[in-house]
Amino acid sequence: MKVFQRGLLIQRDKEAPRLTESGFQFLECLMDTNAQLWYIVREYISNSQERGINQADLISFLLELSFHVAGEAYNLNTLSEIQRSMIKDFADLGLVKLQQGRKESWFIPTIADNLETNFRIYAYSTSKLHCEILRLFSKIEYQLPNLIVGAITKESLYNAFQNGITAEQQNAHPRVADRIPSVPENVCDQIRLWESDLNRVEMTPAHYYDEFPSRDVFEAACDYARDRSGLLWEDSKKMRLVVNAEIHMHMREFLRGQNK
């Protein structure tokens, strides 16, 4: 497909296409097979929006495929129309095999993972591409010739959330989880909790005050900030408080007046 040729070929006006330096490395085996495959998939993902495909949905589908059982046939009718379009491209990349039956068609994943209840992932694969897909939402701990070992952590998932991948997508969607028992229920629940924690956090510019000369000054400062709806937090025992940045300058003037 043309999208896979980007960065590999260059063509000016009516001249015949010529290899770029990257194209030369790609074709002359300076890249190994996995590196070639990963290059192509990166181009496929980066240009997906031009073809009307949402990047988050595309990455989600790649993650979903990685949790299917390798070598097992899955009915194409279980996929959405856009997923059926993507699966044909994945077949060209060797991520799946397509099989035509008498009445129905099937796809057979060539990679698979095992996700345990302790959040550790064991992927029996030699593919660097597979490793990079797992890296999107997990921390890769080490990689053997035919085994990738990683773990799902709060930090690795936050990176995935920031890239637009939701908890439901990382859990391979409820309808997929029903078919794939390799995604433990406790892991799905924890991923959703971590996502909800992230969504609950709201950043507010603020200023921190401590070392008040007396409790009277501290309590007066709290009252001043509270009356202006700017008091965000207070610790009466240690005489500390946090105020909204919007009243910071007014608070400074107020405290100067208290210290006179």
Side-chain angles (χ1 to χ4, degrees):
M1 292 183 287
K2 290 184 179 180
V3 67
F4 295 159
Q5 298 173 1
R6 298 187 180 186
L8 303 180
L9 297 175
I10 186 172
Q11 185 176 16
R12 296 178 179 175
D13 298 330
K14 297 182 180 180
E15 295 180 3
R18 292 185 294 107
L19 282 174
T20 63
E21 181 178 351
S22 297
F24 177 79
Q25 293 178 345
F26 187 92
L27 295 178
E28 293 298 322
C29 298
L30 297 180
M31 288 185 182
D32 61 32
T33 302
N34 287 322
Q36 290 176 334
L37 184 59
W38 178 235
Y39 178 92
I40 290 174
V41 169
R42 280 189 306 170
E43 289 296 317
Y44 183 75
I45 293 174
S46 63
N47 294 281
S48 60
Q49 292 182 339
E50 296 181 10
R51 302 187 305 280
I53 300 175
N54 182 276
Q55 284 189 352
D57 291 340
L58 173 56
I59 295 174
S60 169
F61 190 39
L62 282 169
L63 298 179
E64 176 182 320
L65 286 177
S66 71
F67 285 103
H68 282 64
V69 178
E72 183 171 326
Y74 295 85
N75 198 313
L76 283 175
N77 290 333
T78 62
L79 304 180
S80 66
E81 183 177 351
I82 190 65
Q83 287 176 332
R84 285 196 293 270
S85 174
M86 289 189 285
I87 205 73
K88 294 178 182 178
D89 295 334
F90 295 162
D92 293 335
L93 297 175
L95 298 179
V96 299
K97 296 179 182 178
L98 296 181
Q99 189 175 76
Q100 179 65 50
R102 290 185 177 181
K103 296 182 178 180
E104 298 179 320
S105 298
W106 310 82
F107 67 94
I108 305 172
T110 58
I111 57 177
D113 299 338
N114 180 31
L115 177 57
E116 297 187 338
T117 56
N118 62 0
F119 295 82
R120 295 185 65 81
I121 297 175
Y122 299 91
Y124 297 92
S125 173
T126 60
S127 170
K128 291 182 180 179
L129 169 62
H130 193 184
C131 182
E132 293 302 322
I133 292 174
L134 292 176
R135 202 184 301 275
L136 291 171
F137 66 98
S138 65
K139 178 183 178 182
I140 302 301
E141 297 180 348
Y142 54 88
Q143 185 174 3
L144 301 177
N146 63 344
L147 174 65
I148 303 168
V149 179
I152 292 179
T153 66
K154 179 185 289 189
E155 291 73 21
S156 67
L157 288 178
Y158 279 3
N159 290 332
F161 296 147
Q162 291 172 358
N163 288 326
I165 305 174
T166 66
E168 290 303 321
Q169 291 168 335
Q170 292 179 58
N171 288 334
H173 304 295
R175 64 177 181 80
V176 178
D178 291 340
R179 301 199 309 267
I180 309 172
S182 58
V183 183
E185 184 177 355
N186 73 301
V187 175
C188 294
D189 292 341
Q190 185 60 62
I191 290 175
R192 294 188 183 99
L193 286 175
W194 280 335
E195 183 184 37
S196 64
D197 286 343
L198 186 65
N199 293 335
R200 282 201 298 265
V201 174
E202 181 179 349
M203 303 297 292
T204 301
H207 288 268
Y208 171 80
Y209 291 86
D210 63 356
E211 298 183 355
F212 288 89
S214 68
R215 179 159 297 277
D216 288 341
V217 174
F218 168 74
E219 292 178 352
C222 289
D223 291 339
Y224 180 86
R226 190 179 296 109
D227 291 342
R228 286 155 183 78
S229 302
L231 181 63
L232 300 178
W233 173 83
E234 64 177 300
D235 180 354
S236 298
K237 184 176 181 180
K238 296 184 178 180
M239 294 196 300
R240 302 177 298 176
L241 63 87
V242 175
V243 302
N244 194 300
E246 294 179 356
I247 70 166
H248 171 57
M249 297 305 295
H250 298 291
M251 176 65 79
R252 288 180 58 185
E253 293 299 324
F254 174 79
L255 291 175
R256 285 195 185 101
Q258 293 293 309
N259 292 329
K260 291 181 181 180

